[in-house]
Amino acid sequence: MPGELSEWAGAVAPSGEVLEGRFVRLAPFRAEAHAAQLYDACAGRDDVWEYMPWGPFSSAAAFHRQMAALTSDPAWVYYAICGLDGICLGKAAYLRIVPDQGVIEVGGITFSPALQRTPAASEAMILMMRWAFAQGYRRYEWKCDARNLPSRRAAQRLGFSYEGVFRQHMVVKGRNRDTAWFAVTDQDWPALSEAYDIWLSKANFDASGAQKERLSALTRLVRVSSDPAL
């Protein structure tokens, strides 16, 4: 029958597995180990908190308290995105985790200036998506403030399909937030995974580390729909 899922047995909830890549290592975010590093990496750049429900922060101690509170919430599984030197340069989380429906979302994403627009940033997102589909998830979601065009561009570059805008979805920092929705499904995943493998291969980067083939070019044909705002 169309839509029959007799062979699907559900998904596995994340429990803080370490995710290793060529450029980054993702480990469970621990405020005592990672908060000060990430605060320093974002110093002087309050814009990284523009679309977050929290921040900017007046001190490393204030950021530590916020991250301690966030990582204590079992509904979110937070990761520290660390460079090969072990220094935390960003964070991201799994949320809206519904294993019996096969749905999971990536969010709470903060990339420091040193991480932004780098292969390491893209690989971090790829590692988290790869883990989710390997564990049986059927749908992997990305949502952001509709005003956040860099986030919308990032979702599209990674191969997420645009699904629309939820108007007046929430109130953040005393302002209305319309939310743009994107997703990758398990039907999209095989072709997208192949595109990621090609892009991440050593052959795709020259001696200076510059990419030869752009990720957006590889994922363009996988997307079911494109964001009309871009």
Side-chain angles (χ1 to χ4, degrees):
M1 293 177 60
E4 178 64 39
L5 294 174
S6 59
E7 297 184 3
W8 182 72
V12 177
S15 57
E17 295 80 2
V18 173
L19 307 177
E20 303 258 10
R22 282 185 57 208
F23 304 106
V24 289
R25 181 177 188 270
L26 277 65
F29 196 105
R30 294 187 295 113
E32 61 274 20
H34 301 120
Q37 293 177 353
L38 184 53
Y39 179 82
D40 288 345
C42 295
R45 288 291 302 274
D46 286 353
D47 57 295
V48 301
W49 313 110
E50 173 69 21
Y51 300 105
M52 291 289 182
W54 47 82
F57 300 92
S58 60
S59 66
F63 181 57
H64 183 280
R65 288 193 297 272
Q66 180 67 68
M67 289 308 305
L70 290 174
T71 54
S72 68
D73 184 347
W76 295 59
V77 178
Y78 262 98
Y79 277 97
I81 302 172
C82 300
L84 298 181
D85 59 1
I87 301 299
C88 178
L89 298 174
K91 65 175 179 62
Y94 292 123
L95 62 148
R96 211 175 86 78
I97 304 162
V98 191
D100 62 345
Q101 296 297 319
V103 178
I104 193 168
E105 180 179 341
V106 62
I109 301 167
T110 300
F111 290 163
S112 68
L115 187 59
Q116 293 171 10
R117 302 177 67 82
T118 66
S122 298
E123 186 183 42
M125 297 294 94
I126 291 168
L127 287 171
M128 291 184 71
M129 194 188 308
R130 194 178 296 282
W131 181 91
F133 284 112
Q135 302 306 314
Y137 286 92
R138 304 176 57 242
R139 175 178 169 84
Y140 191 79
E141 298 179 333
W142 176 299
K143 304 185 184 82
C144 63
D145 190 313
R147 297 178 300 127
N148 189 350
L149 293 182
S151 183
R152 295 173 71 159
R153 290 191 189 98
Q156 183 157 289
R157 177 175 174 270
L158 286 163
F160 285 81
S161 292
Y162 173 77
E163 296 187 333
V165 171
F166 278 41
R167 297 176 298 157
Q168 297 187 193
H169 182 222
M170 60 181 70
V171 177
V172 177
K173 295 178 178 173
R175 296 185 58 171
N176 172 67
R177 170 175 146 167
D178 296 343
T179 299
W181 287 51
F182 301 83
V184 173
T185 71
D186 58 354
Q187 296 181 47
D188 310 325
W189 176 243
L192 196 56
S193 179
E194 183 178 351
Y196 290 158
D197 288 343
I198 294 169
W199 184 75
L200 283 168
S201 68
K202 292 182 179 179
N204 192 45
F205 293 87
D206 64 21
S208 68
Q211 61 182 340
K212 298 176 183 178
E213 192 162 9
R214 299 173 66 86
L215 181 57
S216 58
L218 293 166
T219 62
R220 183 178 296 116
L221 297 179
V222 180
R223 295 196 307 268
V224 174
S225 55
S226 299
D227 188 339
L230 303 179

mmCIF file with all atom_site columns, all heavy atoms in Angstrom, residues 47-72:
data_model
loop_
_atom_site.group_PDB
_atom_site.id
_atom_site.type_symbol
_atom_site.label_atom_id
_atom_site.label_alt_id
_atom_site.label_comp_id
_atom_site.label_asym_id
_atom_site.label_entity_id
_atom_site.label_seq_id
_atom_site.pdbx_PDB_ins_code
_atom_site.Cartn_x
_atom_site.Cartn_y
_atom_site.Cartn_z
_atom_site.occupancy
_atom_site.B_iso_or_equiv
_atom_site.pdbx_formal_charge
_atom_site.auth_seq_id
_atom_site.auth_comp_id
_atom_site.auth_asym_id
_atom_site.auth_atom_id
_atom_site.pdbx_PDB_model_num
ATOM 1   N N   . ASP A 1 47 ? 26.208 40.119 17.230 1.00 0.00 ? 47 ASP A N   1
ATOM 2   C CA  . ASP A 1 47 ? 25.281 39.747 16.154 1.00 0.00 ? 47 ASP A CA  1
ATOM 3   C C   . ASP A 1 47 ? 25.033 38.250 16.076 1.00 0.00 ? 47 ASP A C   1
ATOM 4   O O   . ASP A 1 47 ? 24.014 37.822 15.519 1.00 0.00 ? 47 ASP A O   1
ATOM 5   C CB  . ASP A 1 47 ? 25.813 40.252 14.808 1.00 0.00 ? 47 ASP A CB  1
ATOM 6   C CG  . ASP A 1 47 ? 27.205 39.724 14.501 1.00 0.00 ? 47 ASP A CG  1
ATOM 7   O OD1 . ASP A 1 47 ? 28.154 40.076 15.229 1.00 0.00 ? 47 ASP A OD1 1
ATOM 8   O OD2 . ASP A 1 47 ? 27.348 38.953 13.523 1.00 0.00 ? 47 ASP A OD2 1
ATOM 9   N N   . VAL A 1 48 ? 25.932 37.437 16.650 1.00 0.00 ? 48 VAL A N   1
ATOM 10  C CA  . VAL A 1 48 ? 25.704 35.990 16.576 1.00 0.00 ? 48 VAL A CA  1
ATOM 11  C C   . VAL A 1 48 ? 24.488 35.571 17.401 1.00 0.00 ? 48 VAL A C   1
ATOM 12  O O   . VAL A 1 48 ? 23.949 34.472 17.219 1.00 0.00 ? 48 VAL A O   1
ATOM 13  C CB  . VAL A 1 48 ? 26.943 35.176 17.026 1.00 0.00 ? 48 VAL A CB  1
ATOM 14  C CG1 . VAL A 1 48 ? 28.150 35.506 16.161 1.00 0.00 ? 48 VAL A CG1 1
ATOM 15  C CG2 . VAL A 1 48 ? 27.255 35.379 18.499 1.00 0.00 ? 48 VAL A CG2 1
ATOM 16  N N   . TRP A 1 49 ? 24.031 36.442 18.321 1.00 0.00 ? 49 TRP A N   1
ATOM 17  C CA  . TRP A 1 49 ? 22.873 36.134 19.161 1.00 0.00 ? 49 TRP A CA  1
ATOM 18  C C   . TRP A 1 49 ? 21.598 36.815 18.668 1.00 0.00 ? 49 TRP A C   1
ATOM 19  O O   . TRP A 1 49 ? 20.552 36.720 19.303 1.00 0.00 ? 49 TRP A O   1
ATOM 20  C CB  . TRP A 1 49 ? 23.143 36.578 20.609 1.00 0.00 ? 49 TRP A CB  1
ATOM 21  C CG  . TRP A 1 49 ? 24.478 36.147 21.127 1.00 0.00 ? 49 TRP A CG  1
ATOM 22  C CD1 . TRP A 1 49 ? 25.561 36.930 21.395 1.00 0.00 ? 49 TRP A CD1 1
ATOM 23  C CD2 . TRP A 1 49 ? 24.879 34.803 21.418 1.00 0.00 ? 49 TRP A CD2 1
ATOM 24  N NE1 . TRP A 1 49 ? 26.602 36.177 21.828 1.00 0.00 ? 49 TRP A NE1 1
ATOM 25  C CE2 . TRP A 1 49 ? 26.229 34.860 21.857 1.00 0.00 ? 49 TRP A CE2 1
ATOM 26  C CE3 . TRP A 1 49 ? 24.242 33.561 21.343 1.00 0.00 ? 49 TRP A CE3 1
ATOM 27  C CZ2 . TRP A 1 49 ? 26.937 33.727 22.218 1.00 0.00 ? 49 TRP A CZ2 1
ATOM 28  C CZ3 . TRP A 1 49 ? 24.952 32.419 21.703 1.00 0.00 ? 49 TRP A CZ3 1
ATOM 29  C CH2 . TRP A 1 49 ? 26.289 32.515 22.138 1.00 0.00 ? 49 TRP A CH2 1
ATOM 30  N N   . GLU A 1 50 ? 21.660 37.495 17.516 1.00 0.00 ? 50 GLU A N   1
ATOM 31  C CA  . GLU A 1 50 ? 20.555 38.317 17.039 1.00 0.00 ? 50 GLU A CA  1
ATOM 32  C C   . GLU A 1 50 ? 19.230 37.565 16.977 1.00 0.00 ? 50 GLU A C   1
ATOM 33  O O   . GLU A 1 50 ? 18.189 38.085 17.388 1.00 0.00 ? 50 GLU A O   1
ATOM 34  C CB  . GLU A 1 50 ? 20.889 38.864 15.642 1.00 0.00 ? 50 GLU A CB  1
ATOM 35  C CG  . GLU A 1 50 ? 19.759 39.594 14.946 1.00 0.00 ? 50 GLU A CG  1
ATOM 36  C CD  . GLU A 1 50 ? 19.396 40.921 15.593 1.00 0.00 ? 50 GLU A CD  1
ATOM 37  O OE1 . GLU A 1 50 ? 20.255 41.470 16.328 1.00 0.00 ? 50 GLU A OE1 1
ATOM 38  O OE2 . GLU A 1 50 ? 18.280 41.404 15.367 1.00 0.00 ? 50 GLU A OE2 1
ATOM 39  N N   . TYR A 1 51 ? 19.238 36.345 16.492 1.00 0.00 ? 51 TYR A N   1
ATOM 40  C CA  . TYR A 1 51 ? 17.990 35.620 16.284 1.00 0.00 ? 51 TYR A CA  1
ATOM 41  C C   . TYR A 1 51 ? 17.736 34.546 17.331 1.00 0.00 ? 51 TYR A C   1
ATOM 42  O O   . TYR A 1 51 ? 16.820 33.735 17.186 1.00 0.00 ? 51 TYR A O   1
ATOM 43  C CB  . TYR A 1 51 ? 17.979 34.993 14.884 1.00 0.00 ? 51 TYR A CB  1
ATOM 44  C CG  . TYR A 1 51 ? 18.094 36.039 13.795 1.00 0.00 ? 51 TYR A CG  1
ATOM 45  C CD1 . TYR A 1 51 ? 19.283 36.234 13.097 1.00 0.00 ? 51 TYR A CD1 1
ATOM 46  C CD2 . TYR A 1 51 ? 17.013 36.853 13.477 1.00 0.00 ? 51 TYR A CD2 1
ATOM 47  C CE1 . TYR A 1 51 ? 19.388 37.199 12.107 1.00 0.00 ? 51 TYR A CE1 1
ATOM 48  C CE2 . TYR A 1 51 ? 17.104 37.820 12.485 1.00 0.00 ? 51 TYR A CE2 1
ATOM 49  C CZ  . TYR A 1 51 ? 18.295 37.990 11.809 1.00 0.00 ? 51 TYR A CZ  1
ATOM 50  O OH  . TYR A 1 51 ? 18.394 38.957 10.833 1.00 0.00 ? 51 TYR A OH  1
ATOM 51  N N   . MET A 1 52 ? 18.557 34.527 18.374 1.00 0.00 ? 52 MET A N   1
ATOM 52  C CA  . MET A 1 52 ? 18.399 33.558 19.449 1.00 0.00 ? 52 MET A CA  1
ATOM 53  C C   . MET A 1 52 ? 17.435 34.090 20.507 1.00 0.00 ? 52 MET A C   1
ATOM 54  O O   . MET A 1 52 ? 17.331 35.303 20.709 1.00 0.00 ? 52 MET A O   1
ATOM 55  C CB  . MET A 1 52 ? 19.755 33.268 20.102 1.00 0.00 ? 52 MET A CB  1
ATOM 56  C CG  . MET A 1 52 ? 20.722 32.511 19.218 1.00 0.00 ? 52 MET A CG  1
ATOM 57  S SD  . MET A 1 52 ? 20.175 30.801 19.016 1.00 0.00 ? 52 MET A SD  1
ATOM 58  C CE  . MET A 1 52 ? 21.497 30.160 18.003 1.00 0.00 ? 52 MET A CE  1
ATOM 59  N N   . PRO A 1 53 ? 16.758 33.201 21.236 1.00 0.00 ? 53 PRO A N   1
ATOM 60  C CA  . PRO A 1 53 ? 15.895 33.645 22.335 1.00 0.00 ? 53 PRO A CA  1
ATOM 61  C C   . PRO A 1 53 ? 16.684 34.241 23.499 1.00 0.00 ? 53 PRO A C   1
ATOM 62  O O   . PRO A 1 53 ? 16.121 34.894 24.364 1.00 0.00 ? 53 PRO A O   1
ATOM 63  C CB  . PRO A 1 53 ? 15.184 32.358 22.770 1.00 0.00 ? 53 PRO A CB  1
ATOM 64  C CG  . PRO A 1 53 ? 15.342 31.410 21.634 1.00 0.00 ? 53 PRO A CG  1
ATOM 65  C CD  . PRO A 1 53 ? 16.657 31.766 20.990 1.00 0.00 ? 53 PRO A CD  1
ATOM 66  N N   . TRP A 1 54 ? 17.988 33.991 23.532 1.00 0.00 ? 54 TRP A N   1
ATOM 67  C CA  . TRP A 1 54 ? 18.854 34.460 24.608 1.00 0.00 ? 54 TRP A CA  1
ATOM 68  C C   . TRP A 1 54 ? 20.046 35.216 24.021 1.00 0.00 ? 54 TRP A C   1
ATOM 69  O O   . TRP A 1 54 ? 20.331 35.128 22.842 1.00 0.00 ? 54 TRP A O   1
ATOM 70  C CB  . TRP A 1 54 ? 19.351 33.262 25.433 1.00 0.00 ? 54 TRP A CB  1
ATOM 71  C CG  . TRP A 1 54 ? 19.853 32.152 24.571 1.00 0.00 ? 54 TRP A CG  1
ATOM 72  C CD1 . TRP A 1 54 ? 21.080 32.040 23.999 1.00 0.00 ? 54 TRP A CD1 1
ATOM 73  C CD2 . TRP A 1 54 ? 19.114 31.015 24.114 1.00 0.00 ? 54 TRP A CD2 1
ATOM 74  N NE1 . TRP A 1 54 ? 21.178 30.904 23.231 1.00 0.00 ? 54 TRP A NE1 1
ATOM 75  C CE2 . TRP A 1 54 ? 19.977 30.249 23.286 1.00 0.00 ? 54 TRP A CE2 1
ATOM 76  C CE3 . TRP A 1 54 ? 17.817 30.558 24.333 1.00 0.00 ? 54 TRP A CE3 1
ATOM 77  C CZ2 . TRP A 1 54 ? 19.581 29.065 22.682 1.00 0.00 ? 54 TRP A CZ2 1
ATOM 78  C CZ3 . TRP A 1 54 ? 17.423 29.370 23.720 1.00 0.00 ? 54 TRP A CZ3 1
ATOM 79  C CH2 . TRP A 1 54 ? 18.296 28.644 22.909 1.00 0.00 ? 54 TRP A CH2 1
ATOM 80  N N   . GLY A 1 55 ? 20.737 35.954 24.903 1.00 0.00 ? 55 GLY A N   1
ATOM 81  C CA  . GLY A 1 55 ? 21.908 36.711 24.481 1.00 0.00 ? 55 GLY A CA  1
ATOM 82  C C   . GLY A 1 55 ? 21.532 38.048 23.869 1.00 0.00 ? 55 GLY A C   1
ATOM 83  O O   . GLY A 1 55 ? 20.353 38.270 23.567 1.00 0.00 ? 55 GLY A O   1
ATOM 84  N N   . PRO A 1 56 ? 22.509 38.952 23.659 1.00 0.00 ? 56 PRO A N   1
ATOM 85  C CA  . PRO A 1 56 ? 23.932 38.776 23.971 1.00 0.00 ? 56 PRO A CA  1
ATOM 86  C C   . PRO A 1 56 ? 24.189 38.747 25.478 1.00 0.00 ? 56 PRO A C   1
ATOM 87  O O   . PRO A 1 56 ? 23.303 39.067 26.277 1.00 0.00 ? 56 PRO A O   1
ATOM 88  C CB  . PRO A 1 56 ? 24.586 39.988 23.309 1.00 0.00 ? 56 PRO A CB  1
ATOM 89  C CG  . PRO A 1 56 ? 23.506 41.012 23.242 1.00 0.00 ? 56 PRO A CG  1
ATOM 90  C CD  . PRO A 1 56 ? 22.232 40.269 23.045 1.00 0.00 ? 56 PRO A CD  1
ATOM 91  N N   . PHE A 1 57 ? 25.399 38.390 25.827 1.00 0.00 ? 57 PHE A N   1
ATOM 92  C CA  . PHE A 1 57 ? 25.750 38.151 27.221 1.00 0.00 ? 57 PHE A CA  1
ATOM 93  C C   . PHE A 1 57 ? 26.776 39.172 27.707 1.00 0.00 ? 57 PHE A C   1
ATOM 94  O O   . PHE A 1 57 ? 27.709 39.514 26.989 1.00 0.00 ? 57 PHE A O   1
ATOM 95  C CB  . PHE A 1 57 ? 26.291 36.730 27.386 1.00 0.00 ? 57 PHE A CB  1
ATOM 96  C CG  . PHE A 1 57 ? 25.294 35.679 26.975 1.00 0.00 ? 57 PHE A CG  1
ATOM 97  C CD1 . PHE A 1 57 ? 25.286 35.181 25.669 1.00 0.00 ? 57 PHE A CD1 1
ATOM 98  C CD2 . PHE A 1 57 ? 24.352 35.215 27.869 1.00 0.00 ? 57 PHE A CD2 1
ATOM 99  C CE1 . PHE A 1 57 ? 24.355 34.235 25.283 1.00 0.00 ? 57 PHE A CE1 1
ATOM 100 C CE2 . PHE A 1 57 ? 23.409 34.261 27.488 1.00 0.00 ? 57 PHE A CE2 1
ATOM 101 C CZ  . PHE A 1 57 ? 23.413 33.773 26.186 1.00 0.00 ? 57 PHE A CZ  1
ATOM 102 N N   . SER A 1 58 ? 26.587 39.611 28.935 1.00 0.00 ? 58 SER A N   1
ATOM 103 C CA  . SER A 1 58 ? 27.448 40.649 29.501 1.00 0.00 ? 58 SER A CA  1
ATOM 104 C C   . SER A 1 58 ? 28.776 40.110 30.016 1.00 0.00 ? 58 SER A C   1
ATOM 105 O O   . SER A 1 58 ? 29.718 40.863 30.220 1.00 0.00 ? 58 SER A O   1
ATOM 106 C CB  . SER A 1 58 ? 26.726 41.367 30.638 1.00 0.00 ? 58 SER A CB  1
ATOM 107 O OG  . SER A 1 58 ? 26.370 40.451 31.668 1.00 0.00 ? 58 SER A OG  1
ATOM 108 N N   . SER A 1 59 ? 28.846 38.798 30.217 1.00 0.00 ? 59 SER A N   1
ATOM 109 C CA  . SER A 1 59 ? 30.070 38.212 30.778 1.00 0.00 ? 59 SER A CA  1
ATOM 110 C C   . SER A 1 59 ? 30.116 36.722 30.477 1.00 0.00 ? 59 SER A C   1
ATOM 111 O O   . SER A 1 59 ? 29.101 36.101 30.133 1.00 0.00 ? 59 SER A O   1
ATOM 112 C CB  . SER A 1 59 ? 30.106 38.412 32.299 1.00 0.00 ? 59 SER A CB  1
ATOM 113 O OG  . SER A 1 59 ? 29.053 37.672 32.920 1.00 0.00 ? 59 SER A OG  1
ATOM 114 N N   . ALA A 1 60 ? 31.310 36.164 30.624 1.00 0.00 ? 60 ALA A N   1
ATOM 115 C CA  . ALA A 1 60 ? 31.470 34.723 30.457 1.00 0.00 ? 60 ALA A CA  1
ATOM 116 C C   . ALA A 1 60 ? 30.654 33.969 31.496 1.00 0.00 ? 60 ALA A C   1
ATOM 117 O O   . ALA A 1 60 ? 30.104 32.900 31.219 1.00 0.00 ? 60 ALA A O   1
ATOM 118 C CB  . ALA A 1 60 ? 32.947 34.353 30.572 1.00 0.00 ? 60 ALA A CB  1
ATOM 119 N N   . ALA A 1 61 ? 30.537 34.535 32.700 1.00 0.00 ? 61 ALA A N   1
ATOM 120 C CA  . ALA A 1 61 ? 29.760 33.884 33.753 1.00 0.00 ? 61 ALA A CA  1
ATOM 121 C C   . ALA A 1 61 ? 28.281 33.810 33.380 1.00 0.00 ? 61 ALA A C   1
ATOM 122 O O   . ALA A 1 61 ? 27.611 32.798 33.621 1.00 0.00 ? 61 ALA A O   1
ATOM 123 C CB  . ALA A 1 61 ? 29.935 34.626 35.075 1.00 0.00 ? 61 ALA A CB  1
ATOM 124 N N   . ALA A 1 62 ? 27.768 34.886 32.773 1.00 0.00 ? 62 ALA A N   1
ATOM 125 C CA  . ALA A 1 62 ? 26.361 34.900 32.355 1.00 0.00 ? 62 ALA A CA  1
ATOM 126 C C   . ALA A 1 62 ? 26.114 33.854 31.271 1.00 0.00 ? 62 ALA A C   1
ATOM 127 O O   . ALA A 1 62 ? 25.091 33.157 31.282 1.00 0.00 ? 62 ALA A O   1
ATOM 128 C CB  . ALA A 1 62 ? 25.979 36.284 31.857 1.00 0.00 ? 62 ALA A CB  1
ATOM 129 N N   . PHE A 1 63 ? 27.055 33.731 30.336 1.00 0.00 ? 63 PHE A N   1
ATOM 130 C CA  . PHE A 1 63 ? 26.909 32.732 29.287 1.00 0.00 ? 63 PHE A CA  1
ATOM 131 C C   . PHE A 1 63 ? 27.008 31.325 29.871 1.00 0.00 ? 63 PHE A C   1
ATOM 132 O O   . PHE A 1 63 ? 26.265 30.418 29.476 1.00 0.00 ? 63 PHE A O   1
ATOM 133 C CB  . PHE A 1 63 ? 27.965 32.941 28.209 1.00 0.00 ? 63 PHE A CB  1
ATOM 134 C CG  . PHE A 1 63 ? 27.865 31.968 27.064 1.00 0.00 ? 63 PHE A CG  1
ATOM 135 C CD1 . PHE A 1 63 ? 26.692 31.856 26.332 1.00 0.00 ? 63 PHE A CD1 1
ATOM 136 C CD2 . PHE A 1 63 ? 28.943 31.168 26.715 1.00 0.00 ? 63 PHE A CD2 1
ATOM 137 C CE1 . PHE A 1 63 ? 26.589 30.962 25.271 1.00 0.00 ? 63 PHE A CE1 1
ATOM 138 C CE2 . PHE A 1 63 ? 28.856 30.283 25.657 1.00 0.00 ? 63 PHE A CE2 1
ATOM 139 C CZ  . PHE A 1 63 ? 27.677 30.173 24.938 1.00 0.00 ? 63 PHE A CZ  1
ATOM 140 N N   . HIS A 1 64 ? 27.907 31.140 30.815 1.00 0.00 ? 64 HIS A N   1
ATOM 141 C CA  . HIS A 1 64 ? 28.041 29.832 31.469 1.00 0.00 ? 64 HIS A CA  1
ATOM 142 C C   . HIS A 1 64 ? 26.726 29.434 32.136 1.00 0.00 ? 64 HIS A C   1
ATOM 143 O O   . HIS A 1 64 ? 26.272 28.283 32.007 1.00 0.00 ? 64 HIS A O   1
ATOM 144 C CB  . HIS A 1 64 ? 29.168 29.886 32.508 1.00 0.00 ? 64 HIS A CB  1
ATOM 145 C CG  . HIS A 1 64 ? 29.431 28.576 33.186 1.00 0.00 ? 64 HIS A CG  1
ATOM 146 N ND1 . HIS A 1 64 ? 28.647 28.110 34.230 1.00 0.00 ? 64 HIS A ND1 1
ATOM 147 C CD2 . HIS A 1 64 ? 30.390 27.632 32.986 1.00 0.00 ? 64 HIS A CD2 1
ATOM 148 C CE1 . HIS A 1 64 ? 29.107 26.942 34.632 1.00 0.00 ? 64 HIS A CE1 1
ATOM 149 N NE2 . HIS A 1 64 ? 30.161 26.635 33.891 1.00 0.00 ? 64 HIS A NE2 1
ATOM 150 N N   . ARG A 1 65 ? 26.101 30.370 32.833 1.00 0.00 ? 65 ARG A N   1
ATOM 151 C CA  . ARG A 1 65 ? 24.830 30.065 33.497 1.00 0.00 ? 65 ARG A CA  1
ATOM 152 C C   . ARG A 1 65 ? 23.759 29.685 32.474 1.00 0.00 ? 65 ARG A C   1
ATOM 153 O O   . ARG A 1 65 ? 22.978 28.745 32.695 1.00 0.00 ? 65 ARG A O   1
ATOM 154 C CB  . ARG A 1 65 ? 24.366 31.254 34.333 1.00 0.00 ? 65 ARG A CB  1
ATOM 155 C CG  . ARG A 1 65 ? 25.167 31.487 35.598 1.00 0.00 ? 65 ARG A CG  1
ATOM 156 C CD  . ARG A 1 65 ? 24.476 32.475 36.524 1.00 0.00 ? 65 ARG A CD  1
ATOM 157 N NE  . ARG A 1 65 ? 24.339 33.799 35.924 1.00 0.00 ? 65 ARG A NE  1
ATOM 158 C CZ  . ARG A 1 65 ? 25.267 34.748 36.012 1.00 0.00 ? 65 ARG A CZ  1
ATOM 159 N NH1 . ARG A 1 65 ? 26.415 34.517 36.652 1.00 0.00 ? 65 ARG A NH1 1
ATOM 160 N NH2 . ARG A 1 65 ? 25.069 35.933 35.463 1.00 0.00 ? 65 ARG A NH2 1
ATOM 161 N N   . GLN A 1 66 ? 23.714 30.423 31.358 1.00 0.00 ? 66 GLN A N   1
ATOM 162 C CA  . GLN A 1 66 ? 22.721 30.125 30.334 1.00 0.00 ? 66 GLN A CA  1
ATOM 163 C C   . GLN A 1 66 ? 22.939 28.732 29.748 1.00 0.00 ? 66 GLN A C   1
ATOM 164 O O   . GLN A 1 66 ? 21.992 27.959 29.583 1.00 0.00 ? 66 GLN A O   1
ATOM 165 C CB  . GLN A 1 66 ? 22.786 31.164 29.219 1.00 0.00 ? 66 GLN A CB  1
ATOM 166 C CG  . GLN A 1 66 ? 21.795 30.937 28.092 1.00 0.00 ? 66 GLN A CG  1
ATOM 167 C CD  . GLN A 1 66 ? 20.355 31.118 28.536 1.00 0.00 ? 66 GLN A CD  1
ATOM 168 O OE1 . GLN A 1 66 ? 19.928 32.223 28.845 1.00 0.00 ? 66 GLN A OE1 1
ATOM 169 N NE2 . GLN A 1 66 ? 19.604 30.028 28.589 1.00 0.00 ? 66 GLN A NE2 1
ATOM 170 N N   . MET A 1 67 ? 24.187 28.402 29.436 1.00 0.00 ? 67 MET A N   1
ATOM 171 C CA  . MET A 1 67 ? 24.456 27.095 28.846 1.00 0.00 ? 67 MET A CA  1
ATOM 172 C C   . MET A 1 67 ? 24.260 25.963 29.845 1.00 0.00 ? 67 MET A C   1
ATOM 173 O O   . MET A 1 67 ? 23.819 24.874 29.470 1.00 0.00 ? 67 MET A O   1
ATOM 174 C CB  . MET A 1 67 ? 25.876 27.057 28.266 1.00 0.00 ? 67 MET A CB  1
ATOM 175 C CG  . MET A 1 67 ? 26.048 27.904 27.018 1.00 0.00 ? 67 MET A CG  1
ATOM 176 S SD  . MET A 1 67 ? 24.806 27.569 25.715 1.00 0.00 ? 67 MET A SD  1
ATOM 177 C CE  . MET A 1 67 ? 24.984 25.806 25.456 1.00 0.00 ? 67 MET A CE  1
ATOM 178 N N   . ALA A 1 68 ? 24.542 26.206 31.100 1.00 0.00 ? 68 ALA A N   1
ATOM 179 C CA  . ALA A 1 68 ? 24.279 25.187 32.121 1.00 0.00 ? 68 ALA A CA  1
ATOM 180 C C   . ALA A 1 68 ? 22.790 24.887 32.195 1.00 0.00 ? 68 ALA A C   1
ATOM 181 O O   . ALA A 1 68 ? 22.371 23.720 32.327 1.00 0.00 ? 68 ALA A O   1
ATOM 182 C CB  . ALA A 1 68 ? 24.809 25.642 33.468 1.00 0.00 ? 68 ALA A CB  1
ATOM 183 N N   . ALA A 1 69 ? 21.967 25.931 32.082 1.00 0.00 ? 69 ALA A N   1
ATOM 184 C CA  . ALA A 1 69 ? 20.516 25.741 32.121 1.00 0.00 ? 69 ALA A CA  1
ATOM 185 C C   . ALA A 1 69 ? 20.036 25.021 30.861 1.00 0.00 ? 69 ALA A C   1
ATOM 186 O O   . ALA A 1 69 ? 19.216 24.089 30.934 1.00 0.00 ? 69 ALA A O   1
ATOM 187 C CB  . ALA A 1 69 ? 19.817 27.087 32.268 1.00 0.00 ? 69 ALA A CB  1
ATOM 188 N N   . LEU A 1 70 ? 20.540 25.434 29.704 1.00 0.00 ? 70 LEU A N   1
ATOM 189 C CA  . LEU A 1 70 ? 20.092 24.826 28.450 1.00 0.00 ? 70 LEU A CA  1
ATOM 190 C C   . LEU A 1 70 ? 20.464 23.353 28.376 1.00 0.00 ? 70 LEU A C   1
ATOM 191 O O   . LEU A 1 70 ? 19.664 22.516 27.952 1.00 0.00 ? 70 LEU A O   1
ATOM 192 C CB  . LEU A 1 70 ? 20.701 25.569 27.261 1.00 0.00 ? 70 LEU A CB  1
ATOM 193 C CG  . LEU A 1 70 ? 20.188 26.983 26.982 1.00 0.00 ? 70 LEU A CG  1
ATOM 194 C CD1 . LEU A 1 70 ? 21.008 27.631 25.870 1.00 0.00 ? 70 LEU A CD1 1
ATOM 195 C CD2 . LEU A 1 70 ? 18.717 26.963 26.607 1.00 0.00 ? 70 LEU A CD2 1
ATOM 196 N N   . THR A 1 71 ? 21.672 23.017 28.779 1.00 0.00 ? 71 THR A N   1
ATOM 197 C CA  . THR A 1 71 ? 22.131 21.637 28.656 1.00 0.00 ? 71 THR A CA  1
ATOM 198 C C   . THR A 1 71 ? 21.542 20.727 29.726 1.00 0.00 ? 71 THR A C   1
ATOM 199 O O   . THR A 1 71 ? 21.669 19.501 29.628 1.00 0.00 ? 71 THR A O   1
ATOM 200 C CB  . THR A 1 71 ? 23.663 21.564 28.702 1.00 0.00 ? 71 THR A CB  1
ATOM 201 O OG1 . THR A 1 71 ? 24.147 22.227 29.879 1.00 0.00 ? 71 THR A OG1 1
ATOM 202 C CG2 . THR A 1 71 ? 24.274 22.246 27.478 1.00 0.00 ? 71 THR A CG2 1
ATOM 203 N N   . SER A 1 72 ? 20.878 21.296 30.721 1.00 0.00 ? 72 SER A N   1
ATOM 204 C CA  . SER A 1 72 ? 20.211 20.477 31.735 1.00 0.00 ? 72 SER A CA  1
ATOM 205 C C   . SER A 1 72 ? 18.804 20.069 31.306 1.00 0.00 ? 72 SER A C   1
ATOM 206 O O   . SER A 1 72 ? 18.168 19.237 31.959 1.00 0.00 ? 72 SER A O   1
ATOM 207 C CB  . SER A 1 72 ? 20.140 21.219 33.070 1.00 0.00 ? 72 SER A CB  1
ATOM 208 O OG  . SER A 1 72 ? 19.260 22.343 32.983 1.00 0.00 ? 72 SER A OG  1
#
